[in-house]
């Protein structure tokens, strides 16, 4: 059972019998009023998006989903293909279901695939993934302030801010929950 | 190279923040206000239904400096301001950290309308002082700070944006939901908005309006949909204040939460308090609005998660 304190982006819960994933979450407290927990949730089967506001004390059933360990194989058109590590069975998932995870998926990445009935409906990534920087401007020597950042494009096409000392071709660790640079891969 | 790169990245925001607090001090000192410091740890907070203090060795960390600052007004300090940290348990979000910075000021001989004017002058003066000028860009909206700022009653705001009346929202117990979902996002989008005259039940320390006692003389300031400040004409009737505190205490007890001792010295001294008005403004949020920051995390050196 989850409480409102557990609500965050990515939480999967059951609503009216269907599995939903929280895609946006905000804590609100109108002046002198009570705490309200505003969420935007996506039905993991139909893709329908709901806005729901909850009060303190409300509780939620976790989504009843089977999770299977797979690896990401490749993308074709708008479909992503994954393979079950045990049975070698392959499953496909559309762009909507993959969501922001696509920014961090490289070939052979181990992931957890959520299954509802027979259908793959979601992907859970490792919290940290190593990704290669394919484009970023060189560091201007002499800048020792350490307080600026620059954009970098990763091999997945995702763009994020990195410290100025990161060079093109370098591997960095990205936190997949926030999408932020975490550290460089010491090599 | 800094080991904590995310903290190092906040340098510009933290420098702007320091300038903002300097401008706040300058505004009040030039206006004849006395800067005061009152204890952060107190035996009894003002009981409020939806604000939860953090216990501290038998007492509490204050949730705002209001009790002590009002005792100062009652003792003849007619213009005071304070910049201090306050604590509210369980509040964390894009606009909330449980330990935050409050600016609170009190002025004898005025009411909430007088404070709207002064609040407007303060924000404009601070924005000018830090070089933001008369226009702000916040969350994609262009907001002018030039006079006059919008003033709308809570009742009007419900009819205009809330798809229901204030009375019906109260009766159906959806006042806060309508406020958060429908009204707040519309407030202060092209110029700052004062929304005033809250239901009497929602201003535990506010004076009721003489011409309409169903509402309290209370206002909030919004800029870009963000609530920045809360103010009221102070209630100075000790009997009335005691009975309001008792009903807040009963509400807490009904929810199974620990009751607080009543702030007895405050209640005793309240009778000497002249007509006055007080206001609390969230400094972190003012910095957010002036810097166009998406989250409070960007304008504080450390969030609880960083510690």
């Amino acid at each position: 059972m989850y409480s409102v304190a557990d609500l965050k982006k990515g939480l999967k819960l059951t609503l009216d019998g269907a599995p939903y994933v929280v895609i946006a979450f905000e804590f609100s407290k109108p002046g002198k009023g009570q705490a309200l927990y505003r969420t935007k949730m996506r039905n993991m089967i139909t893709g329908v998006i709901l806005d729901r506001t909850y009060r303190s004390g409300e509780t939620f059933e976790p989504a009843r989903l089977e999770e299977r360990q797979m690896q990401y194989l490749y993308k074709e058109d708008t479909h992503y293909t994954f393979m079950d590590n045990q049975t070698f069975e392959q499953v496909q998932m559309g762009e909507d279901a993959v969501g922001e995870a696509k920014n961090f998926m490289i070939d052979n990445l181990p992931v957890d695939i959520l299954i509802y009935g027979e259908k793959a409906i979601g992907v859970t990534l490792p919290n940290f993934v190593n990704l290669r920087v394919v484009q970023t401007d060189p560091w201007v020597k002499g800048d020792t302030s350490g307080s600026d950042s620059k954009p970098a494009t990763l091999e997945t096409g995702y763009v994020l801010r990195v410290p100025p000392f990161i060079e093109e071709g370098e591997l960095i660790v990205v936190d997949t929950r926030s999408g932020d640079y975490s550290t460089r891969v010491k090599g | 190279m800094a080991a904590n790169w995310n903290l190092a990245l906040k340098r510009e925001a933290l420098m702007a923040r320091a300038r903002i607090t300097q401008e706040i001090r300058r505004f009040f000192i030039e206006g004849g206000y006395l800067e005061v410091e009152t204890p952060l740890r107190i035996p009894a907070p003002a009981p409020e239904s939806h604000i939860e203090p953090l216990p501290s060795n038998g007492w509490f960390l204050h949730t705002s400096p209001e009790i002590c600052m009002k005792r100062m007004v009652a003792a003849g300090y007619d213009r005071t301001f304070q910049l201090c940290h306050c604590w509210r348990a369980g509040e964390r979000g894009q606009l909330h950290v449980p330990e935050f910075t409050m600016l609170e000021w009190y002025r004898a001989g005025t009411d909430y309308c007088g404070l709207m004017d002064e609040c407007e002058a303060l924000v404009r003066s601070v924005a000018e002082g830090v070089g933001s000028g008369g226009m702000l860009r916040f969350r994609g909206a262009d907001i002018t700070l030039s006079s006059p700022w919008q003033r709308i009653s809570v009742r009007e705001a419900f009819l205009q944006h809330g798809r229901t009346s204030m009375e019906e929202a109260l009766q159906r117990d959806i006042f806060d939901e309508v406020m958060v979902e429908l009204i707040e996002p519309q407030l202060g989008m092209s110029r700052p908005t004062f929304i005033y005259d809250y239901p009497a039940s929602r201003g535990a320390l506010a004076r009721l309006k003489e011409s309409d006692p169903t509402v309290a003389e209370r206002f909030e300031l919004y800029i870009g949909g963000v609530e920045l400040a809360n103010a009221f004409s102070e209630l100075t009737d000790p009997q009335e204040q005691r009975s309001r505190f008792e009903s807040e205490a009963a509400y807490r007890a009904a929810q199974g939460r620990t009751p607080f001792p009543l702030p007895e010295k405050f209640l005793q001294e309240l009778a000497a308090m002249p007509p006055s008005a007080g206001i609390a403004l969230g400094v972190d949020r003012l910095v957010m609005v002036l810097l166009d920051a998406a989250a409070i995390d960007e304008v504080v050196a450390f969030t609880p998660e960083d510690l």
Side-chain angles (χ1 to χ4, degrees):
Chain A
M1 196 79 106
Y2 295 128
S3 78
V4 288
D6 298 312
L7 285 171
K8 59 170 190 259
K9 248 165 104 169
L11 187 76
K12 298 171 184 79
L13 43 87
T14 301
L15 208 68
D16 310 324
Y20 279 81
V21 59
V22 176
I23 56 174
F25 168 70
E26 195 169 340
F27 172 82
S28 293
K29 209 158 179 281
K32 307 274 175 198
Q34 62 197 305
L36 295 174
Y37 302 78
R38 303 182 65 196
T39 61
K40 210 180 261 300
M41 291 187 280
R42 184 166 48 80
N43 183 313
M44 297 179 76
I45 298 162
T46 64
V48 168
I49 290 170
L50 280 186
D51 288 302
R52 287 276 174 104
T53 300
Y54 297 98
R55 294 182 173 190
S56 295
E58 295 196 66
T59 56
F60 313 91
E61 286 290 336
R64 292 187 195 292
L65 299 165
E66 187 196 344
E67 249 184 354
R68 284 172 29 198
Q69 292 182 346
M70 300 202 184
Q71 54 173 306
Y72 170 56
L73 293 184
Y74 57 87
K75 182 191 179 197
E76 204 172 55
D77 297 330
T78 58
H79 280 81
Y80 294 78
T81 301
F82 302 85
M83 183 179 68
D84 189 308
N85 291 343
Q86 252 103 56
T87 65
F88 306 110
E89 178 197 349
Q90 293 188 4
V91 299
Q92 290 196 321
M93 217 186 300
E95 257 172 349
D96 279 2
V98 170
E100 289 173 17
K102 70 168 194 288
N103 295 326
F104 315 105
M105 291 198 315
I106 44 166
D107 297 358
N108 305 322
L109 183 75
V111 297
D112 287 330
I113 295 294
L114 302 167
I115 308 284
Y116 187 79
E118 291 293 298
K119 204 175 166 215
I121 59 167
V123 53
T124 306
L125 299 179
N127 289 342
F128 296 97
V129 174
N130 294 352
L131 292 162
R132 196 166 298 281
V133 174
V134 295
Q135 198 284 316
T136 191
D137 293 335
W139 182 15
V140 182
K141 288 284 182 211
D143 176 11
T144 51
S145 69
S147 64
D148 55 348
S149 67
K150 59 177 186 179
T153 309
L154 303 181
E155 55 189 306
T156 58
Y158 180 66
V159 180
L160 79 177
R161 309 288 305 177
V162 299
F165 55 80
I166 296 293
E167 293 167 13
E168 220 164 86
E170 219 176 322
L171 263 185
I172 61 169
V173 182
V174 177
D175 187 327
T176 61
R177 294 161 296 184
S178 60
D180 292 337
Y181 165 89
S182 176
T183 178
R184 72 206 300 188
V185 177
K186 310 266 183 328
Chain B
M1 193 53 57
N4 187 339
W5 183 63
N6 282 319
L7 180 56
L9 264 189
K10 291 182 182 178
R11 177 184 300 270
E12 267 185 42
L14 296 180
M15 286 170 67
R17 183 188 172 106
R19 284 201 305 277
I20 288 165
T21 50
Q22 282 158 21
E23 287 300 323
I24 291 172
R25 284 205 162 87
R26 194 172 61 81
F27 176 87
F28 285 107
I29 290 164
E30 286 176 1
Y33 277 78
L34 177 68
E35 179 166 13
V36 300
E37 295 176 87
T38 61
L40 307 180
R41 185 172 158 269
I42 56 175
E48 291 205 50
S49 305
H50 302 299
I51 297 180
E52 195 58 35
L54 284 169
S56 168
N57 197 22
W59 285 11
F60 299 92
L61 295 174
H62 72 173
T63 60
S64 94
E66 63 186 327
I67 295 282
C68 288
M69 287 186 78
K70 283 181 201 176
R71 290 179 65 186
M72 294 191 75
V73 180
Y77 295 89
D78 58 355
R79 288 184 183 206
T80 57
F81 80 100
Q82 175 159 210
L83 277 161
C84 62
H85 279 212
C86 295
W87 290 261
R88 294 182 181 181
E91 303 194 1
R92 181 71 177 103
Q94 287 192 323
L95 298 175
H96 295 84
V97 278
E99 177 175 354
F100 61 100
T101 304
M102 187 88 102
L103 161 66
E104 192 145 327
W105 76 95
Y106 285 84
R107 182 166 171 175
T110 192
D111 64 4
Y112 71 146
C113 294
L115 278 189
M116 284 189 215
D117 297 337
E118 194 167 37
C119 186
E120 191 174 324
L122 166 75
V123 174
R124 199 177 292 127
S125 151
V126 171
E128 274 165 22
V130 300
S132 302
M135 281 300 283
L136 293 179
R137 188 164 182 84
F138 180 61
R139 294 185 171 176
D142 289 310
I143 302 165
T144 173
L145 295 182
S146 58
S147 234
W149 289 6
Q150 189 196 13
R151 298 187 183 193
I152 182 174
S153 72
V154 175
R155 201 175 258 130
E156 287 166 331
F158 268 80
L159 294 175
Q160 222 173 84
H161 308 296
R163 298 180 205 152
T164 176
S165 70
M166 178 179 96
E167 287 74 11
E168 197 190 332
L170 285 169
Q171 198 209 331
R172 290 173 51 206
D173 190 22
I174 53 167
F175 183 92
D176 290 331
E177 280 84 355
V178 174
M179 202 59 159
V180 160
E181 290 175 3
L182 300 176
I183 299 176
E184 284 191 335
Q186 305 298 327
L187 300 180
M189 299 314 287
S190 56
R191 58 183 63 233
T193 298
F194 292 110
I195 173 169
Y196 63 91
D197 287 356
Y198 277 73
S201 58
R202 290 176 177 255
L205 292 96
R207 182 173 79 193
L208 298 185
K209 201 176 171 95
E210 217 166 277
S211 60
D212 177 7
T214 64
V215 296
E217 290 189 356
R218 173 183 156 209
F219 75 80
E220 300 250 2
L221 168 65
Y222 281 82
I223 300 182
V226 171
E227 176 201 342
L228 278 185
N230 173 70
F232 25 80
S233 304
E234 300 298 340
L235 174 64
T236 52
D237 175 344
Q239 275 77 45
E240 171 71 13
Q241 185 66 79
R242 181 179 295 276
S243 86
R244 297 227 204 136
F245 279 172
E246 280 166 355
S247 67
E248 292 286 341
Y251 178 90
R252 289 185 61 84
Q255 290 201 321
R257 293 189 289 169
T258 336
F260 305 133
L262 286 190
E264 288 296 340
K265 288 187 176 125
F266 163 73
L267 288 168
Q268 280 159 27
E269 294 165 19
L270 194 56
M273 187 161 162
S276 51
I279 173 165
L281 181 146
V283 174
D284 312 280
R285 291 187 187 175
L286 177 62
V287 178
M288 281 180 70
V289 167
L290 293 176
L291 301 188
D292 193 14
I296 201 167
D297 306 39
E298 296 171 26
V299 302
V300 296
F302 295 94
T303 64
E305 297 79 14
D306 292 330
L307 297 174

